[in-house]
Amino acid sequence: MSGDASDAVHRYHDGTKHHFNRYARSLGFLDWATQPKAFRAFDGAPIVGLYPRPDAQGASIGHPRVTYDQLFTDAPAPAVPITAAAIGDFLRHALGLSAWKAFQRSRWSLRVNPSSGNLHPTEAYLVTGALDGLAEGPCVWHYAPDRHVLEQRCAFDTSAWRLADERLAGAGGSTETCVGAMPPTFLIALTSIHWRESWKYGERAFRYCQHDLGHAIAALRFAAGLFGWRLTMRPEWSQRAIAALTGIDRDEDYFEAEREAPGCLLLVSVEGAALDARIPDAGLIHAVRNGRWSGKASQLSEDHVEWTFIDEVAAATSEVVQGIPSVSRDEGLRDDHGGDGRFEDRQLDARAIVLRRRSAVSLDGVSSIDRARFLRMLTRVVPDPARPIAPWDALWWSPRVHLALFVHRVVGLEPGLYMLARCADVVPRLKGACRRDFQWEPAADGVPLWLLQAGDYRLGSKRVSCDQDIAADGFFSLGMIAEFDASLAEHGASFYRHLFWESGVIGQLLYLEAEAAGTRATGIGCFFDDAVHELLGLEGHAFQSLYHFTVGMPVEDSRLTTEPGYAWEST
């Protein structure tokens, strides 16, 4: 990691910490006159409605019922060919609207993928070959979740996509790209509009944009499982290459509109695709740059506040990460007939769980969860290195984020402070970094959960989470503790983003686990960083708290009314 980039990351991270006597810099109030519009559109771009819209082109699809617990097996569903209708259903269950809420004259949408403050800085772009119901040739698309449509940003040369698709398909899939073909791959690029978050949260917004990307990555991975598809990150793509592929570097298309920052590139494939293939990005980018572009980005706010601190850390973390494995980590480890083998299938419909996910606003402070359900949640959070399954097979690196848990009301487990070590080799380092008086007693067979100190941590968890009651009123709350300096030293300054992505993936998994358990969860972005470190005894930057979370029994606001995510779903 270069010294300048490393310094910039440390300077930003330390400079955006909340303290008891001082919060990270923001306006300090909500300027409603500059509130960003909820959705981006590309005016003038051709639009294609997606299944299950009633006006969608192409055939509808029939899909097998997939249970929620099947998502954590090697083969949750038979692989479905990649078609326009399947892509529509995939996006609906990954990034679409889950509901609309209304109170008096106010009305706002909720989405399948969670976001800090429901501000949704993440935008999604697809790169596809020719497909019936979409286009006769390869295109770059922007997904507009409010209308559940794809906006065609660019149509480009067929031969460039054929070359990329052949490399991705390997020996196992069709590489035809004519109309009606079912290519084995497509790409998803995620970007962030920093202004969406900085409008409310100021300089800390870059953090929130990154763990929102993690939420989206996990949401996309779980949705891919509904169709028997694979989804993996392509870390070899630079930020500049992603910007060129999506067209977010085209100044003429963003006149007076808020710019987007590149995030990550994901590959979606059917079984049989060679997941370790490297996409020939130079040829693909050349074709896209010379393609037929359409549409101008809509402006979200007329006035803006510039936060140059965000621009600095974005630039410092823009290079390709170091130490990327030459092949996928799961090469040769998959068993298409096995599952995680740890739990009985509860026969919960996966699509229903995904669509009903909500962020709890308030928890009742009295309900409890039994030990078995609690440990089930934690077990899902810990990847099995011998059998990578969703959502961990979407990531290319080993676990770097561990959980400091404040257990309040778990029947059969003593209240107190615990640590969940998500990989075995971190335990000695955590023990050496944390307070010397911690017990480090194993708390559960088969789960790397350690009791650090018994006691009532309700007030302590509330205090370090910006005095928010929700951190104390759940069954448990937690801080996500990242191996900070060692990760940056190994993979470079750009891995700072990845640490937040991993935190967001953990968060999305806990959201779904809470829904499946009949409870509810919510992320907590506001916490006093160094107060968390002091409570654990952590010093320096070896470990840093990146994201907090809580799970409990929700208190519903009866004043709010709920409507379906899309009008056609109410008929």
CSV table of all heavy atoms in Angstrom, one decimal, residues 314-370:
chain,number,residue,atom,x,y,z
A,314,ALA,N,-12.1,8.6,-1.9
A,314,ALA,CA,-12.5,7.9,-3.1
A,314,ALA,C,-11.4,7.8,-4.1
A,314,ALA,O,-11.1,6.7,-4.6
A,314,ALA,CB,-13.7,8.6,-3.8
A,315,ALA,N,-10.6,8.8,-4.2
A,315,ALA,CA,-9.4,8.8,-5.1
A,315,ALA,C,-8.3,7.9,-4.6
A,315,ALA,O,-7.7,7.1,-5.3
A,315,ALA,CB,-8.9,10.2,-5.4
A,316,ALA,N,-8.2,7.9,-3.2
A,316,ALA,CA,-7.1,7.1,-2.6
A,316,ALA,C,-7.4,5.6,-2.7
A,316,ALA,O,-6.5,4.8,-2.5
A,316,ALA,CB,-6.9,7.5,-1.2
A,317,THR,N,-8.7,5.2,-2.8
A,317,THR,CA,-9.1,3.8,-2.8
A,317,THR,C,-9.6,3.4,-4.2
A,317,THR,O,-10.4,2.5,-4.3
A,317,THR,CB,-10.2,3.6,-1.8
A,317,THR,OG1,-11.3,4.5,-2.1
A,317,THR,CG2,-9.7,3.9,-0.4
A,318,SER,N,-9.1,4.0,-5.3
A,318,SER,CA,-9.6,3.7,-6.6
A,318,SER,C,-8.8,2.7,-7.4
A,318,SER,O,-9.2,2.3,-8.5
A,318,SER,CB,-9.7,5.1,-7.4
A,318,SER,OG,-8.4,5.6,-7.6
A,319,GLU,N,-7.6,2.3,-6.9
A,319,GLU,CA,-6.8,1.4,-7.7
A,319,GLU,C,-7.3,0.0,-7.5
A,319,GLU,O,-8.0,-0.3,-6.5
A,319,GLU,CB,-5.3,1.5,-7.2
A,319,GLU,CG,-4.7,2.9,-7.5
A,319,GLU,CD,-4.7,3.3,-8.9
A,319,GLU,OE1,-4.4,2.4,-9.8
A,319,GLU,OE2,-5.0,4.5,-9.2
A,320,VAL,N,-6.9,-0.9,-8.4
A,320,VAL,CA,-7.2,-2.3,-8.3
A,320,VAL,C,-6.5,-2.9,-7.0
A,320,VAL,O,-5.3,-2.5,-6.7
A,320,VAL,CB,-6.7,-3.1,-9.5
A,320,VAL,CG1,-6.9,-4.6,-9.3
A,320,VAL,CG2,-7.5,-2.6,-10.8
A,321,VAL,N,-7.2,-3.7,-6.2
A,321,VAL,CA,-6.6,-4.2,-5.0
A,321,VAL,C,-5.5,-5.2,-5.4
A,321,VAL,O,-5.4,-5.7,-6.5
A,321,VAL,CB,-7.7,-5.0,-4.2
A,321,VAL,CG1,-8.7,-4.0,-3.6
A,321,VAL,CG2,-8.4,-6.0,-5.0
A,322,GLN,N,-4.6,-5.3,-4.4
A,322,GLN,CA,-3.5,-6.2,-4.5
A,322,GLN,C,-3.8,-7.6,-4.0
A,322,GLN,O,-4.7,-7.8,-3.2
A,322,GLN,CB,-2.3,-5.6,-3.8
A,322,GLN,CG,-1.9,-4.2,-4.2
A,322,GLN,CD,-1.0,-3.6,-3.2
A,322,GLN,OE1,-0.4,-4.2,-2.3
A,322,GLN,NE2,-0.8,-2.3,-3.3
A,323,GLY,N,-3.0,-8.6,-4.5
A,323,GLY,CA,-3.1,-10.0,-3.9
A,323,GLY,C,-4.4,-10.7,-4.3
A,323,GLY,O,-4.9,-11.5,-3.5
A,324,ILE,N,-5.0,-10.4,-5.5
A,324,ILE,CA,-6.1,-11.1,-5.9
A,324,ILE,C,-5.8,-12.6,-6.3
A,324,ILE,O,-4.8,-12.8,-7.0
A,324,ILE,CB,-6.8,-10.4,-7.2
A,324,ILE,CG1,-7.1,-9.0,-6.8
A,324,ILE,CG2,-8.0,-11.2,-7.6
A,324,ILE,CD1,-7.5,-8.2,-8.1
A,325,PRO,N,-6.5,-13.6,-5.8
A,325,PRO,CA,-6.2,-14.9,-6.2
A,325,PRO,C,-6.2,-15.1,-7.7
A,325,PRO,O,-7.1,-14.5,-8.4
A,325,PRO,CB,-7.3,-15.8,-5.5
A,325,PRO,CG,-7.8,-14.9,-4.4
A,325,PRO,CD,-7.6,-13.5,-4.9
A,326,SER,N,-5.4,-16.0,-8.2
A,326,SER,CA,-5.4,-16.2,-9.7
A,326,SER,C,-6.6,-17.0,-10.2
A,326,SER,O,-6.9,-16.9,-11.4
A,326,SER,CB,-4.1,-17.0,-10.1
A,326,SER,OG,-4.0,-18.2,-9.4
A,327,VAL,N,-7.2,-17.8,-9.3
A,327,VAL,CA,-8.5,-18.5,-9.6
A,327,VAL,C,-9.5,-18.2,-8.5
A,327,VAL,O,-9.1,-17.8,-7.4
A,327,VAL,CB,-8.2,-20.0,-9.8
A,327,VAL,CG1,-7.3,-20.2,-11.0
A,327,VAL,CG2,-7.7,-20.6,-8.6
A,328,SER,N,-10.7,-18.6,-8.7
A,328,SER,CA,-11.7,-18.5,-7.7
A,328,SER,C,-11.4,-19.3,-6.5
A,328,SER,O,-10.8,-20.4,-6.6
A,328,SER,CB,-13.1,-18.9,-8.2
A,328,SER,OG,-13.5,-18.1,-9.4
A,329,ARG,N,-11.7,-18.7,-5.3
A,329,ARG,CA,-11.4,-19.4,-4.0
A,329,ARG,C,-12.1,-20.7,-3.9
A,329,ARG,O,-11.7,-21.7,-3.3
A,329,ARG,CB,-11.7,-18.6,-2.8
A,329,ARG,CG,-10.8,-17.4,-2.6
A,329,ARG,CD,-11.0,-16.9,-1.2
A,329,ARG,NE,-12.3,-16.4,-1.0
A,329,ARG,CZ,-13.2,-16.9,-0.1
A,329,ARG,NH1,-12.8,-18.0,0.6
A,329,ARG,NH2,-14.4,-16.4,0.1
A,330,ASP,N,-13.3,-20.8,-4.6
A,330,ASP,CA,-14.1,-22.1,-4.5
A,330,ASP,C,-13.8,-23.1,-5.6
A,330,ASP,O,-14.5,-24.0,-5.7
A,330,ASP,CB,-15.6,-21.7,-4.5
A,330,ASP,CG,-16.0,-21.0,-5.8
A,330,ASP,OD1,-15.1,-20.6,-6.5
A,330,ASP,OD2,-17.2,-20.8,-5.9
A,331,GLU,N,-12.7,-22.9,-6.3
A,331,GLU,CA,-12.4,-23.8,-7.4
A,331,GLU,C,-12.2,-25.2,-6.9
A,331,GLU,O,-11.5,-25.5,-5.9
A,331,GLU,CB,-11.0,-23.4,-8.0
A,331,GLU,CG,-10.6,-24.3,-9.2
A,331,GLU,CD,-11.3,-24.0,-10.5
A,331,GLU,OE1,-12.0,-22.9,-10.5
A,331,GLU,OE2,-11.2,-24.7,-11.4
A,332,GLY,N,-13.0,-26.1,-7.4
A,332,GLY,CA,-12.9,-27.5,-7.1
A,332,GLY,C,-13.6,-27.9,-5.7
A,332,GLY,O,-13.5,-29.1,-5.3
A,333,LEU,N,-14.2,-27.0,-5.1
A,333,LEU,CA,-14.8,-27.3,-3.7
A,333,LEU,C,-16.3,-27.5,-3.8
A,333,LEU,O,-16.9,-28.0,-2.8
A,333,LEU,CB,-14.5,-26.1,-2.8
A,333,LEU,CG,-13.0,-26.0,-2.4
A,333,LEU,CD1,-12.8,-24.7,-1.5
A,333,LEU,CD2,-12.4,-27.2,-1.7
A,334,ARG,N,-16.9,-27.2,-4.9
A,334,ARG,CA,-18.4,-27.3,-4.9
A,334,ARG,C,-18.9,-28.7,-5.0
A,334,ARG,O,-18.3,-29.5,-5.7
A,334,ARG,CB,-18.9,-26.4,-6.0
A,334,ARG,CG,-18.8,-24.9,-5.8
A,334,ARG,CD,-19.3,-24.1,-7.0
A,334,ARG,NE,-20.7,-24.4,-7.3
A,334,ARG,CZ,-21.7,-23.8,-6.6
A,334,ARG,NH1,-21.4,-23.0,-5.6
A,334,ARG,NH2,-22.9,-24.1,-7.0
A,335,ASP,N,-20.0,-29.0,-4.3
A,335,ASP,CA,-20.6,-30.3,-4.4
A,335,ASP,C,-22.1,-30.0,-4.7
A,335,ASP,O,-22.9,-29.5,-3.9
A,335,ASP,CB,-20.5,-31.0,-3.1
A,335,ASP,CG,-21.3,-32.3,-3.1
A,335,ASP,OD1,-21.9,-32.6,-4.1
A,335,ASP,OD2,-21.3,-33.0,-2.0
A,336,ASP,N,-22.5,-30.2,-6.0
A,336,ASP,CA,-23.8,-29.7,-6.4
A,336,ASP,C,-25.0,-30.5,-5.8
A,336,ASP,O,-26.1,-30.2,-6.1
A,336,ASP,CB,-23.9,-29.7,-7.9
A,336,ASP,CG,-23.0,-28.7,-8.6
A,336,ASP,OD1,-22.7,-27.7,-7.9
A,336,ASP,OD2,-22.6,-28.8,-9.7
A,337,HIS,N,-24.7,-31.5,-5.0
A,337,HIS,CA,-25.8,-32.3,-4.4
A,337,HIS,C,-25.8,-32.1,-2.9
A,337,HIS,O,-26.6,-32.7,-2.2
A,337,HIS,CB,-25.6,-33.8,-4.7
A,337,HIS,CG,-25.5,-34.0,-6.2
A,337,HIS,ND1,-26.6,-33.9,-7.0
A,337,HIS,CD2,-24.4,-34.3,-7.0
A,337,HIS,CE1,-26.2,-34.2,-8.3
A,337,HIS,NE2,-24.9,-34.4,-8.3
A,338,GLY,N,-25.0,-31.2,-2.3
A,338,GLY,CA,-25.0,-31.1,-0.9
A,338,GLY,C,-25.5,-29.7,-0.4
A,338,GLY,O,-25.6,-28.8,-1.2
A,339,GLY,N,-25.7,-29.6,0.9
A,339,GLY,CA,-26.1,-28.4,1.5
A,339,GLY,C,-25.2,-28.1,2.6
A,339,GLY,O,-24.1,-28.7,2.8
A,340,ASP,N,-25.6,-27.1,3.5
A,340,ASP,CA,-24.7,-26.9,4.6
A,340,ASP,C,-24.9,-28.0,5.7
A,340,ASP,O,-24.0,-28.1,6.5
A,340,ASP,CB,-25.0,-25.5,5.2
A,340,ASP,CG,-26.4,-25.3,5.7
A,340,ASP,OD1,-27.1,-26.3,5.9
A,340,ASP,OD2,-26.8,-24.1,6.0
A,341,GLY,N,-25.9,-28.7,5.6
A,341,GLY,CA,-26.1,-29.9,6.4
A,341,GLY,C,-26.2,-29.7,7.9
A,341,GLY,O,-26.1,-30.6,8.7
A,342,ARG,N,-26.5,-28.4,8.3
A,342,ARG,CA,-26.5,-28.1,9.7
A,342,ARG,C,-27.8,-27.9,10.3
A,342,ARG,O,-28.0,-28.1,11.5
A,342,ARG,CB,-25.6,-26.9,10.0
A,342,ARG,CG,-24.2,-27.0,9.7
A,342,ARG,CD,-23.4,-25.7,9.7
A,342,ARG,NE,-23.8,-24.8,8.5
A,342,ARG,CZ,-23.2,-23.7,8.2
A,342,ARG,NH1,-22.2,-23.3,9.0
A,342,ARG,NH2,-23.6,-23.0,7.2
A,343,PHE,N,-28.8,-27.6,9.5
A,343,PHE,CA,-30.1,-27.2,10.0
A,343,PHE,C,-31.2,-27.9,9.2
A,343,PHE,O,-31.1,-28.1,8.0
A,343,PHE,CB,-30.3,-25.7,10.0
A,343,PHE,CG,-29.2,-25.0,10.7
A,343,PHE,CD1,-28.3,-24.2,10.1
A,343,PHE,CD2,-29.2,-25.0,12.1
A,343,PHE,CE1,-27.3,-23.5,10.7
A,343,PHE,CE2,-28.2,-24.3,12.8
A,343,PHE,CZ,-27.2,-23.6,12.1
A,344,GLU,N,-32.3,-28.1,9.8
A,344,GLU,CA,-33.5,-28.6,9.1
A,344,GLU,C,-34.1,-27.4,8.3
A,344,GLU,O,-34.2,-26.3,8.7
A,344,GLU,CB,-34.5,-29.1,10.1
A,344,GLU,CG,-35.8,-29.7,9.5
A,344,GLU,CD,-36.8,-30.1,10.6
A,344,GLU,OE1,-36.5,-30.1,11.8
A,344,GLU,OE2,-37.9,-30.5,10.2
A,345,ASP,N,-34.6,-27.8,7.1
A,345,ASP,CA,-35.2,-26.8,6.2
A,345,ASP,C,-36.6,-26.4,6.8
A,345,ASP,O,-37.4,-27.3,7.1
A,345,ASP,CB,-35.4,-27.3,4.8
A,345,ASP,CG,-35.8,-26.3,3.8
A,345,ASP,OD1,-36.5,-25.3,4.2
A,345,ASP,OD2,-35.3,-26.4,2.7
A,346,ARG,N,-36.8,-25.1,7.1
A,346,ARG,CA,-38.0,-24.6,7.7
A,346,ARG,C,-39.2,-24.5,6.7
A,346,ARG,O,-40.3,-24.1,7.1
A,346,ARG,CB,-37.8,-23.3,8.4
A,346,ARG,CG,-36.9,-23.5,9.7
A,346,ARG,CD,-36.4,-22.1,10.2
A,346,ARG,NE,-35.4,-21.6,9.3
A,346,ARG,CZ,-34.7,-20.5,9.6
A,346,ARG,NH1,-34.9,-19.8,10.7
A,346,ARG,NH2,-33.8,-20.0,8.7
A,347,GLN,N,-38.9,-24.7,5.4
A,347,GLN,CA,-39.9,-24.6,4.3
A,347,GLN,C,-40.5,-23.2,4.2
A,347,GLN,O,-41.6,-23.0,3.9
A,347,GLN,CB,-41.0,-25.7,4.6
A,347,GLN,CG,-40.5,-27.1,4.5
A,347,GLN,CD,-40.0,-27.5,3.1
A,347,GLN,OE1,-40.6,-27.2,2.1
A,347,GLN,NE2,-38.7,-28.0,3.1
A,348,LEU,N,-39.6,-22.2,4.5
A,348,LEU,CA,-40.1,-20.8,4.3
A,348,LEU,C,-39.8,-20.4,2.9
A,348,LEU,O,-38.7,-20.7,2.3
A,348,LEU,CB,-39.3,-19.9,5.2
A,348,LEU,CG,-39.4,-20.2,6.7
A,348,LEU,CD1,-38.4,-19.4,7.5
A,348,LEU,CD2,-40.8,-20.0,7.2
A,349,ASP,N,-40.7,-19.7,2.2
A,349,ASP,CA,-40.6,-19.3,0.8
A,349,ASP,C,-39.5,-18.3,0.7
A,349,ASP,O,-39.6,-17.2,1.4
A,349,ASP,CB,-41.9,-18.9,0.3
A,349,ASP,CG,-41.8,-18.5,-1.2
A,349,ASP,OD1,-41.7,-19.4,-2.0
A,349,ASP,OD2,-41.7,-17.3,-1.5
A,350,ALA,N,-38.5,-18.5,-0.1
A,350,ALA,CA,-37.4,-17.6,-0.2
A,350,ALA,C,-37.8,-16.2,-0.7
A,350,ALA,O,-37.4,-15.2,-0.2
A,350,ALA,CB,-36.3,-18.2,-1.0
A,351,ARG,N,-38.6,-16.3,-1.7
A,351,ARG,CA,-39.1,-15.0,-2.4
A,351,ARG,C,-39.8,-14.1,-1.4
A,351,ARG,O,-39.7,-12.9,-1.3
A,351,ARG,CB,-39.9,-15.3,-3.6
A,351,ARG,CG,-39.1,-15.7,-4.8
A,351,ARG,CD,-39.9,-16.1,-6.0
A,351,ARG,NE,-39.2,-16.2,-7.2
A,351,ARG,CZ,-38.4,-17.3,-7.5
A,351,ARG,NH1,-38.4,-18.3,-6.7
A,351,ARG,NH2,-37.7,-17.3,-8.6
A,352,ALA,N,-40.7,-14.8,-0.5
A,352,ALA,CA,-41.5,-14.0,0.4
A,352,ALA,C,-40.5,-13.4,1.5
A,352,ALA,O,-40.7,-12.2,1.9
A,352,ALA,CB,-42.5,-14.9,1.1
A,353,ILE,N,-39.5,-14.1,2.0
A,353,ILE,CA,-38.6,-13.6,3.0
A,353,ILE,C,-37.9,-12.4,2.4
A,353,ILE,O,-37.7,-11.4,3.0
A,353,ILE,CB,-37.6,-14.7,3.4
A,353,ILE,CG1,-38.3,-15.8,4.1
A,353,ILE,CG2,-36.5,-14.1,4.3
A,353,ILE,CD1,-38.8,-15.5,5.5
A,354,VAL,N,-37.4,-12.5,1.2
A,354,VAL,CA,-36.6,-11.4,0.5
A,354,VAL,C,-37.5,-10.2,0.4
A,354,VAL,O,-37.0,-9.1,0.7
A,354,VAL,CB,-36.1,-11.9,-0.8
A,354,VAL,CG1,-35.7,-10.7,-1.7
A,354,VAL,CG2,-34.9,-12.9,-0.7
A,355,LEU,N,-38.7,-10.3,0.0
A,355,LEU,CA,-39.6,-9.2,-0.3
A,355,LEU,C,-40.1,-8.5,1.0
A,355,LEU,O,-40.5,-7.4,1.0
A,355,LEU,CB,-40.7,-9.6,-1.2
A,355,LEU,CG,-40.4,-10.0,-2.6
A,355,LEU,CD1,-41.6,-10.3,-3.5
A,355,LEU,CD2,-39.6,-8.9,-3.3
A,356,ARG,N,-40.2,-9.3,2.1
A,356,ARG,CA,-40.8,-8.7,3.3
A,356,ARG,C,-39.7,-8.1,4.2
A,356,ARG,O,-40.0,-7.7,5.3
A,356,ARG,CB,-41.7,-9.7,4.0
A,356,ARG,CG,-41.0,-10.8,4.8
A,356,ARG,CD,-42.1,-11.5,5.6
A,356,ARG,NE,-41.5,-12.5,6.5
A,356,ARG,CZ,-41.8,-13.8,6.5
A,356,ARG,NH1,-42.6,-14.3,5.6
A,356,ARG,NH2,-41.2,-14.6,7.4
A,357,ARG,N,-38.4,-8.2,3.8
A,357,ARG,CA,-37.4,-7.7,4.7
A,357,ARG,C,-37.6,-6.2,4.9
A,357,ARG,O,-37.9,-5.4,4.0
A,357,ARG,CB,-36.0,-7.8,4.0
A,357,ARG,CG,-34.9,-7.3,4.9
A,357,ARG,CD,-33.8,-6.7,4.1
A,357,ARG,NE,-34.2,-5.5,3.4
A,357,ARG,CZ,-34.3,-4.3,4.0
A,357,ARG,NH1,-34.0,-4.1,5.3
A,357,ARG,NH2,-34.7,-3.2,3.3
A,358,ARG,N,-37.6,-5.8,6.2
A,358,ARG,CA,-37.7,-4.4,6.6
A,358,ARG,C,-36.6,-4.1,7.6
A,358,ARG,O,-36.1,-4.9,8.3
A,358,ARG,CB,-39.1,-4.2,7.2
A,358,ARG,CG,-40.3,-4.5,6.3
A,358,ARG,CD,-40.5,-3.5,5.2
A,358,ARG,NE,-41.8,-3.8,4.5
A,358,ARG,CZ,-41.9,-4.7,3.5
A,358,ARG,NH1,-40.8,-5.3,3.1
A,358,ARG,NH2,-43.1,-4.9,3.0
A,359,SER,N,-36.4,-2.8,7.7
A,359,SER,CA,-35.5,-2.3,8.8
A,359,SER,C,-36.4,-1.9,10.0
A,359,SER,O,-37.3,-1.1,9.8
A,359,SER,CB,-34.7,-1.1,8.3
A,359,SER,OG,-33.8,-1.5,7.3
A,360,ALA,N,-36.1,-2.5,11.1
A,360,ALA,CA,-36.9,-2.1,12.3
A,360,ALA,C,-36.6,-0.7,12.7
A,360,ALA,O,-35.4,-0.2,12.7
A,360,ALA,CB,-36.5,-3.1,13.5
A,361,VAL,N,-37.6,0.0,13.1
A,361,VAL,CA,-37.4,1.4,13.6
A,361,VAL,C,-37.4,1.4,15.1
A,361,VAL,O,-36.7,2.2,15.7
A,361,VAL,CB,-38.6,2.3,13.1
A,361,VAL,CG1,-38.5,3.7,13.6
A,361,VAL,CG2,-38.6,2.3,11.5
A,362,SER,N,-38.1,0.5,15.8
A,362,SER,CA,-38.2,0.5,17.2
A,362,SER,C,-38.3,-1.0,17.6
A,362,SER,O,-39.0,-1.8,16.9
A,362,SER,CB,-39.4,1.3,17.7
A,362,SER,OG,-39.5,1.2,19.1
A,363,LEU,N,-37.7,-1.4,18.7
A,363,LEU,CA,-37.8,-2.7,19.3
A,363,LEU,C,-38.5,-2.7,20.7
A,363,LEU,O,-38.4,-1.7,21.4
A,363,LEU,CB,-36.4,-3.4,19.3
A,363,LEU,CG,-35.7,-3.5,18.0
A,363,LEU,CD1,-34.3,-4.1,18.2
A,363,LEU,CD2,-36.4,-4.3,17.0
A,364,ASP,N,-39.1,-3.8,21.1
A,364,ASP,CA,-40.0,-3.7,22.3
A,364,ASP,C,-39.2,-3.7,23.6
A,364,ASP,O,-39.7,-3.4,24.6
A,364,ASP,CB,-41.1,-4.8,22.2
A,364,ASP,CG,-40.5,-6.2,22.4
A,364,ASP,OD1,-39.3,-6.4,22.7
A,364,ASP,OD2,-41.3,-7.1,22.2
A,365,GLY,N,-38.0,-4.2,23.6
A,365,GLY,CA,-37.2,-4.1,24.8
A,365,GLY,C,-37.5,-5.2,25.8
A,365,GLY,O,-36.9,-5.2,26.9
A,366,VAL,N,-38.4,-6.1,25.5
A,366,VAL,CA,-38.8,-7.1,26.5
A,366,VAL,C,-38.7,-8.6,26.0
A,366,VAL,O,-38.5,-9.5,26.7
A,366,VAL,CB,-40.2,-6.9,27.1
A,366,VAL,CG1,-40.2,-5.6,27.9
A,366,VAL,CG2,-41.2,-6.8,26.0
A,367,SER,N,-38.9,-8.7,24.7
A,367,SER,CA,-39.0,-10.1,24.1
A,367,SER,C,-37.6,-10.7,24.1
A,367,SER,O,-36.6,-10.0,24.1
A,367,SER,CB,-39.5,-10.0,22.6
A,367,SER,OG,-40.8,-9.5,22.6
A,368,SER,N,-37.6,-12.0,24.0
A,368,SER,CA,-36.4,-12.8,24.0
A,368,SER,C,-36.4,-13.7,22.8
A,368,SER,O,-37.4,-14.0,22.1
A,368,SER,CB,-36.3,-13.7,25.3
A,368,SER,OG,-36.3,-12.9,26.4
A,369,ILE,N,-35.2,-14.3,22.5
A,369,ILE,CA,-35.0,-15.3,21.4
A,369,ILE,C,-34.4,-16.5,22.1
A,369,ILE,O,-33.6,-16.3,23.0
A,369,ILE,CB,-34.2,-14.7,20.3
A,369,ILE,CG1,-34.3,-15.7,19.0
A,369,ILE,CG2,-32.7,-14.5,20.7
A,369,ILE,CD1,-33.6,-15.1,17.8
A,370,ASP,N,-34.7,-17.6,21.6
A,370,ASP,CA,-34.1,-18.8,22.2
A,370,ASP,C,-32.7,-19.0,21.6
A,370,ASP,O,-32.3,-18.5,20.6
A,370,ASP,CB,-35.0,-20.1,21.9
A,370,ASP,CG,-35.2,-20.3,20.4
A,370,ASP,OD1,-34.3,-21.0,19.8
A,370,ASP,OD2,-36.2,-19.9,19.9
